[in-house]
Amino acid sequence: MTAKSGSAEIGDHMTNWIGLGIIALLLQAPQPSSAERKIVEYLKLNVKPGRPVVISDLYNNVFKTPEERKVLDRLFNTFFKIPIFVVQYNESTKKIPTLEDISQQFQLTVPGEADVLLRVMEADPRVPKLLDRNPKTGEITHIDTARIKANPQFSKALDRTINGWEGKAAPFFAMAGYDGKPVTTQQVFGQPYLIYFWFTNCPPCVRTSPLLTELYNKYAKQGFKIVGANADKVLELPYDDKVRADYAKTYGFNFTLAHLNGETQQAYGGISVFPTMFFVDKKGTIVKHFVNFQEKAVLEAAVQETLAK
């Protein structure tokens, strides 16, 4: 056995520290409520091909408590976001998302929940066939991207989220910071910056977090800024301020953190895939737009290009 250098030992300690931090954060991940379990199990038993699920019937005749209706509202909203996410994910990664990818993106924590939402979509004769799935595993095998993009329900959102951002002026943003103070475009006006849309414990965000910390620490002295827009509140995720503060401490975030609101979310295309990143130069022009996880080399090249503009 050979002695390690001081830098190697420090690297090992850092790896262990970050690894323990990730474990601690995952232990804080939300667990499904009894109401959510009840609704998912009901849908598993009652979704039948050719028979649409009528949300008003569930409200009036099956699930009547405030907790149950809140879950229904969230699942109903998620139902309409899934096709958008599937296309965005495919466009950005050139891969088809798995049921696990969908579950992670929308915090679907009951086993089989993503599958049952896709079954609801497939059962409704009013919804055109948008996806093909493996009948045994339930995994998506083909995406009819053209049909999804042509559907009025999804086309506008897709056009705003995946097309034509680079080279355009960055939209204005105004949010409340973690400390309650305003965080606005004026504070980074004339400076190169990244606006980073994410939510707590989003798996690709967890992978992205240490990369952003490294890049910020390296390039902040050149004037590069990061604004982290946390989406927990707009997504109605059950995280409190302490969990968010612990997350920021674990990953060494020392850049600006704010709570995403509906106005800023819509200004940037109704973002529904996390993380989403916009690199903006000092003239206020979007240089790079990324959806989902990106390797460090890709992110660093975007920082350098943004600084050079």
Side-chain angles (χ1 to χ4, degrees):
M1 182 178 294
T2 59
K4 291 185 177 181
S5 68
S7 60
E9 288 180 354
I10 292 171
D12 287 346
H13 288 312
M14 285 291 290
T15 300
N16 292 335
W17 177 70
I18 291 173
L20 290 171
I22 291 172
I23 291 171
L25 288 168
L26 292 177
L27 290 174
Q28 296 173 339
Q31 298 300 309
S33 65
S34 58
E36 189 159 356
R37 289 185 184 278
K38 183 178 178 182
I39 290 169
V40 172
E41 293 307 317
Y42 177 89
L43 291 173
K44 286 180 180 179
L45 292 174
N46 290 279
V47 174
K48 306 296 181 184
R51 193 170 75 190
V53 174
V54 181
I55 194 75
S56 59
D57 287 345
L58 297 181
Y59 257 73
N60 296 327
N61 303 317
V62 186
F63 303 110
K64 300 180 181 180
T65 70
E67 293 80 9
E68 290 170 345
R69 289 179 171 179
K70 185 175 182 179
V71 172
L72 280 176
D73 286 339
R74 188 173 76 85
L75 294 181
F76 182 72
N77 291 331
T78 299
F79 174 83
F80 287 102
K81 292 176 181 176
I82 287 176
I84 297 171
F85 166 71
V86 167
V87 173
Q88 290 176 325
Y89 187 98
N90 182 247
E91 296 263 343
S92 64
T93 68
K94 310 306 177 188
K95 298 178 182 178
I96 294 175
T98 64
L99 293 176
E100 181 63 20
D101 292 327
I102 295 170
S103 297
Q104 292 177 348
Q105 185 67 211
F106 296 106
Q107 295 281 284
L108 304 175
T109 51
V110 178
E113 194 167 2
D115 175 71
V116 81
L117 286 180
L118 291 176
R119 283 175 53 201
V120 170
M121 185 185 304
E122 294 164 337
D124 196 328
R126 299 167 299 180
V127 178
K129 186 175 176 59
L130 306 175
L131 310 167
D132 292 325
R133 296 206 290 155
N134 184 306
K136 291 184 179 180
T137 66
E139 295 291 352
I140 300 170
T141 57
H142 176 259
I143 305 167
D144 193 334
T145 300
R147 177 169 280 187
I148 295 173
K149 288 183 176 181
N151 189 301
Q153 184 78 47
F154 311 120
S155 59
K156 186 176 181 181
L158 283 168
D159 184 61
R160 290 186 302 157
T161 54
I162 65 177
N163 294 324
W165 282 104
E166 293 175 7
K168 292 186 177 180
F172 177 83
F173 63 81
M175 299 173 285
Y178 274 21
D179 58 3
K181 297 178 181 178
V183 174
T184 70
T185 304
Q186 286 95 330
Q187 293 165 1
V188 291
F189 185 77
Q191 303 170 81
Y193 67 92
L194 161 65
I195 181 166
Y196 168 60
F197 296 89
W198 64 291
F199 65 82
T200 303
N201 287 334
C202 141
C205 305
V206 168
R207 295 173 63 198
T208 302
S209 293
L211 304 183
L212 292 185
T213 296
E214 286 184 50
L215 292 172
Y216 183 73
N217 290 340
K218 182 175 180 179
Y219 291 99
K221 57 182 176 290
Q222 296 182 40
F224 182 68
K225 306 292 185 183
I226 297 179
V227 176
N230 180 280
D232 289 355
K233 292 187 175 183
V234 294
L235 298 176
E236 297 183 343
L237 300 179
Y239 296 114
D240 58 23
D241 288 342
K242 182 181 184 307
V243 172
R244 282 185 283 271
D246 288 346
Y247 187 105
K249 183 178 180 181
T250 295
Y251 289 104
F253 286 177
N254 54 3
F255 47 80
T256 301
L257 294 170
H259 297 290
L260 179 63
N261 54 36
E263 293 77 12
T264 299
Q265 183 183 29
Q266 291 305 312
Y268 281 82
I271 289 167
S272 60
V273 178
F274 298 88
T276 289
M277 292 169 270
F278 295 85
F279 288 82
V280 183
D281 67 18
K282 61 186 178 182
K283 297 178 182 178
T285 302
I286 296 171
V287 176
K288 289 292 182 183
H289 168 224
F290 295 128
V291 176
N292 218 301
F293 174 78
Q294 306 294 321
E295 298 291 347
K296 181 183 176 182
V298 174
L299 295 176
E300 186 159 23
V303 174
Q304 292 171 347
E305 184 176 348
T306 302
L307 287 167
K309 291 290 184 178

